[in-house]
């Protein structure tokens, strides 16, 4: 199938295209990032397949499709209904720009995805409805409403209040048909996406995905096995989607399936506790070279704030196990507000010497997580990240300017999408947002905070508040000075 990406021809493998109804209501499905990235969003692929399965005539739009559909070049403004995947705050400026440049005032814009489920408020000036929660229980009903041209109130379709919809993935069919770009390379390669689990049983206090996609759910291994039997050319690898693969009851069996599959397999970041010799041998057999871990910290006081962390000695043992198999470790660490990072740096030097790749991020407070009450990152964190750069040869750090923009958008209690513009620097966008949001408030801890998004039922409110308070007290004891 040939697609038009802003006049450029792109070739795509798309087993779903022949099922797109010619007659059904027309919907524009928008992903506000490049086409190659859209193809690796499980959410985008899933919504696309579900809309088609429920009789909707879907045409896809991406950031690089110049306001025209990939399939037929239809202009975005011709669609009465626009559905967009929004899983990341930094995608909002791109959707805002696409709607301003190519949309029309009359169309109904509906968004769903992880970050808007956590806090739908920031987008409500340009988006008419936000779908809270999973696609499987909501998209079929949404498709029905579009058929009837009547968007009715549902608890998962946001107005003043709302409640997250939760899919039982053990019972839902797996996404077995996926489109794949053939003439451009997706960021993780030409992979078939396999969702093994959804949600996470852990409660790391900074983690948006962990809190918002609860509860932890597992796919049946027989279903995965059956789906994978059918996967081959033109896919070149199997990409595992799971927040916490080692918690999957059948994870060793799953890895065995991957190791024996004709395509190369890949697994995401793994829990440190899940690492053992058998697991590493299987990872090696399936052809993956890097093992990614996110210990976040090796300092006890920080672990009390983050709700996650590992003693340096324990971490060192795991890294040695990885290195002894000639696999490359990649490790994620986090910097806290006002932290003196020298302890962490000294520990990490002892743990990994120079053999690991490090990635260091500032803590980004996110809605519906206990650490939503933490200060947004600023100059102090910038200095701390610089210290990491000076101390290790192999480190990348997440820029504070982007972390700050993410946090300010995510924690907004006012609709702000119209202020966002991807052609402006992140600093300028934060400046624009400061016209409606009090940055001063966000720059310090906010114990006792009960932000407006908590009126939607997304996660466990008392747990979020109690753990937030515990984190704040732990931070006060260790880092206030
Ligand atoms: S950081 Fe990882 S283990 Fe912790 S809650 Fe998030 S996904 Fe789960």
């Amino acid at each position: 199938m040939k697609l038009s990406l802003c006049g450029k021809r792109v070739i795509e493998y798309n087993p779903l295209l022949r099922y797109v109804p010619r007659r059904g209501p027309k919907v524009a499905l928008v992903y506000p990032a490049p086409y190659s990235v859209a193809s690796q969003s499980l959410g985008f692929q899933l919504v696309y397949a579900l809309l088609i399965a429920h009789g909707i005539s879907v045409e896809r739009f991406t950031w690089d499709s110049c306001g025209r559909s990939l399939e037929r070049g239809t202009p975005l403004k011709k669609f009465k209904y626009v559905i967009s995947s929004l899983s990341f705050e930094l995608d909002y400026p791109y959707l805002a720009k696409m709607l301003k440049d190519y949309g029309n005032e009359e169309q109904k814009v509906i968004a769903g995805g992880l970050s808007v489920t956590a806090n739908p408020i920031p987008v409500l000036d340009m988006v008419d409805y936000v779908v809270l929660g999973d696609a499987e229980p909501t998209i079929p009903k949404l498709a029905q409403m579009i058929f009837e041209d009547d968007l009715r109130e549902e608890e998962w379709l946001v107005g003043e209040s709302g409640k997250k919809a939760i899919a039982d993935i053990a019972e839902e069919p797996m996404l077995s048909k996926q489109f794949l770009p053939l003439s451009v390379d997706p960021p993780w390669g030409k992979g078939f996406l396999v969702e093994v689990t959804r949600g996470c049983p852990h409660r790391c206090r900074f983690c948006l995905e962990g809190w918002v996609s609860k509860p932890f759910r597992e796919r049946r291994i027989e279903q995965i096995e059956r789906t994978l039997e059918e996967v081959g050319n033109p896919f070149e690898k199997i990409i595992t989607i799971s927040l916490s693969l080692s918690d999957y009851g059948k994870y060793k069996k799953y890895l065995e399936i991957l190791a024996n599959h004709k395509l190369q397999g890949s697994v995401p970041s793994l829990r440190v506790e899940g690492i053992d010799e058998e697991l590493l041998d299987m990872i090696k057999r399936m052809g993956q070279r890097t093992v990614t871990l996110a210990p976040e910290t090796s300092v006890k006081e920080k672990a009390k704030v983050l709700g996650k962390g590992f003693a340096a000695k324990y971490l060192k043992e795991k890294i040695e196990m990885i290195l002894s198999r000639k696999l490359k470790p990649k490790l994620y660490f986090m910097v806290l507000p006002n932290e003196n990072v020298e302890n962490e740096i000294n520990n990490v030097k002892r743990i990994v010497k120079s053999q690991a790749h490090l990635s260091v991020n500032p803590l980004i407070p996110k809605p519906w997580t206990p650490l939503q009450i933490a200060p947004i990152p600023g100059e102090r964190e910038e200095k701390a990240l610089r210290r990491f750069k000076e101390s290790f040869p192999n480190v990348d750090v997440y820029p504070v300017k982007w972390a700050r923009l993410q946090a300010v958008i995510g924690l907004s209690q006012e609709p702000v999408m119209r202020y966002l513009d991807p052609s402006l620097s992140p600093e300028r966008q934060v400046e624009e947002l400061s016209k409606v949001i009090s940055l001063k408030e966000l720059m310090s801890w906010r114990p006792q905070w009960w932000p407006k998004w908590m009126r939607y039922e997304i996660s466990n409110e008392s747990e979020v508040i109690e753990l937030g308070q515990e984190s704040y007290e732990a931070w006060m004891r260790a880092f206030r000075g």
Side-chain angles (χ1 to χ4, degrees):
M1 154 83 182
K2 285 194 182 124
L3 302 176
S4 167
L5 199 61
C6 214
K8 205 173 83 196
R9 285 274 178 229
V10 170
I11 302 173
E12 177 183 73
Y13 165 75
N14 192 336
L16 285 163
L17 216 55
R18 64 193 159 110
Y19 300 108
V20 178
R22 292 198 168 264
R23 294 255 172 94
K26 292 195 179 318
V27 166
L29 181 60
V30 176
Y31 196 87
Y35 164 66
S36 59
V37 178
S39 71
Q40 292 196 319
S41 158
L42 184 75
F44 189 65
Q45 292 264 10
L46 188 58
V47 173
Y48 179 59
L50 284 168
L51 285 171
I52 294 172
H54 289 86
I56 301 288
S57 180
V58 194
E59 293 183 42
R60 291 162 298 159
F61 293 75
T62 54
W63 170 245
D64 45 2
S65 75
C66 296
R68 289 183 173 267
S69 75
L70 301 175
E71 289 81 356
R72 299 200 188 111
T74 318
L76 182 65
K77 62 170 180 293
K78 297 261 182 198
F79 290 79
K80 181 166 181 190
Y81 291 99
V82 175
I83 298 182
S84 180
S85 252
L86 283 179
S87 282
F88 184 42
E89 297 86 352
L90 297 184
D91 289 342
Y92 302 180
Y94 295 92
L95 180 63
K97 177 90 175 138
M98 288 174 82
L99 293 174
K100 281 181 208 160
D101 289 356
Y102 306 120
N104 84 51
E105 293 281 303
E106 308 303 315
Q107 57 198 176
K108 296 258 177 282
V109 182
I110 302 152
L114 185 72
S115 58
V116 282
T117 294
N119 181 11
I121 300 167
V123 302
L124 288 177
D125 52 344
M126 295 187 74
V127 167
D128 301 287
Y129 299 93
V130 170
V131 173
L132 299 177
D134 291 331
E136 294 89 339
T138 55
I139 297 297
K141 290 186 191 157
L142 190 62
Q144 184 60 34
M145 289 191 229
I146 291 174
F147 251 101
E148 291 163 11
D149 199 13
D150 178 20
L151 293 187
R152 294 177 301 276
E153 239 176 66
E154 289 276 351
E155 58 180 11
W156 46 265
L157 198 58
V158 150
E160 274 310 295
S161 57
K163 187 176 175 194
K164 178 177 79 172
I166 300 170
D168 177 0
I169 67 164
E171 297 307 322
E172 292 287 347
M174 259 184 95
L175 185 60
S176 57
K177 294 200 175 357
Q178 301 175 11
F179 64 86
L180 176 75
L182 296 179
S183 57
V184 290
D185 272 330
W188 304 327
K190 293 193 169 76
F192 182 87
L193 309 174
V194 176
E195 187 193 37
V196 176
T197 64
R198 197 177 295 179
C200 179
H202 302 282
R203 301 186 302 165
C204 310
R205 297 180 193 171
F206 52 86
C207 180
L208 181 79
E209 285 180 305
W211 285 92
V212 172
S213 60
K214 278 187 191 313
F216 178 61
R217 286 149 287 165
E218 304 175 78
R219 228 177 258 276
R220 278 183 286 116
I221 192 75
E222 302 78 23
Q223 197 187 24
I224 297 177
E225 200 166 10
R226 240 179 295 123
T227 304
L228 285 182
E229 274 166 16
E230 307 286 306
V231 179
N233 196 25
F235 293 95
E236 292 171 1
K237 62 197 285 202
I238 293 159
I239 298 172
T240 307
I241 311 278
S242 169
L243 289 176
S244 183
L245 187 62
S246 53
D247 289 297
Y248 179 44
K250 295 274 170 18
Y251 94 105
K252 292 221 162 142
K253 169 86 180 136
Y254 173 68
L255 291 176
E256 215 179 285
I257 295 173
L258 281 193
N260 293 327
H261 201 280
K262 54 183 178 282
L263 299 184
Q264 189 197 327
S266 81
V267 295
S269 168
L270 296 165
R271 289 274 305 176
V272 176
E273 313 92 303
I275 297 290
D276 63 25
E277 311 217 334
E278 197 187 348
L279 169 79
L280 293 173
D281 287 339
M282 279 196 274
I283 288 182
K284 196 147 186 202
R285 262 179 60 209
M286 74 177 76
Q288 184 167 323
R289 293 284 159 261
T290 303
V291 177
T292 306
L293 304 175
E296 308 300 352
T297 184
S298 59
V299 175
K300 204 163 141 201
E301 293 74 23
K302 273 175 81 177
K304 286 194 178 135
V305 181
L306 292 171
K308 186 180 190 183
F310 300 89
K313 192 164 165 270
Y314 182 68
L315 214 44
K316 192 164 190 259
E317 277 168 28
K318 301 285 182 186
I319 305 290
E320 277 167 4
M321 217 186 270
I322 296 171
L323 288 169
S324 72
R325 277 161 181 76
K326 303 220 167 8
L327 291 163
K328 286 189 220 143
K330 179 171 184 188
L331 303 174
Y332 281 83
F333 284 91
M334 196 170 277
V335 164
L336 289 187
N338 209 20
E339 178 194 341
N340 173 351
V341 284
E342 298 310 318
N343 282 351
E344 189 86 270
I345 287 177
N346 289 336
N347 278 356
V348 177
K349 275 186 182 162
R350 272 188 282 128
I351 299 167
V352 297
K353 303 199 182 70
S354 58
Q355 309 104 316
H357 187 97
L358 303 180
S359 189
V360 188
N361 300 304
L363 167 69
I364 306 176
K366 296 274 179 154
W368 270 113
T369 68
L371 281 165
Q372 64 186 0
I373 59 173
I376 57 172
E379 275 168 32
R380 279 171 185 272
E381 288 70 40
E382 189 114 46
K383 268 195 212 143
L385 292 172
R386 225 176 292 133
R387 281 291 301 129
F388 271 91
K389 283 209 111 163
E390 290 159 6
S391 309
F392 297 95
N394 220 350
V395 59
D396 40 57
V397 300
Y398 190 77
V400 165
K401 59 186 180 190
W402 289 111
R404 200 169 160 88
L405 178 59
Q406 245 188 77
V408 174
I409 298 173
L411 299 178
S412 179
Q413 301 190 66
E414 301 298 329
V416 290
M417 198 159 155
R418 66 184 184 282
Y419 296 98
L420 301 170
D421 179 349
S423 65
L424 299 178
S425 66
E427 294 92 334
R428 273 295 311 282
Q429 292 193 76
V430 169
E431 216 177 289
E432 286 296 308
L433 292 174
S434 69
K435 292 175 184 162
V436 246
I437 299 171
S438 162
L439 292 189
K440 195 158 172 264
E441 183 191 25
L442 295 180
M443 277 153 69
S444 355
W445 283 89
R446 301 169 296 284
Q448 321 298 336
W449 211 35
W450 198 89
K452 285 185 195 163
W453 56 81
M454 292 188 76
R455 67 172 181 247
Y456 304 111
E457 274 179 63
I458 305 299
S459 202
N460 184 327
E461 181 181 326
S462 57
E463 222 177 12
V464 164
I465 289 184
E466 275 162 35
L467 293 177
Q469 196 59 32
E470 250 180 47
S471 285
Y472 170 62
E473 284 159 17
W475 179 88
M476 288 284 277
R477 283 193 299 275
F479 301 105
R480 180 167 48 164

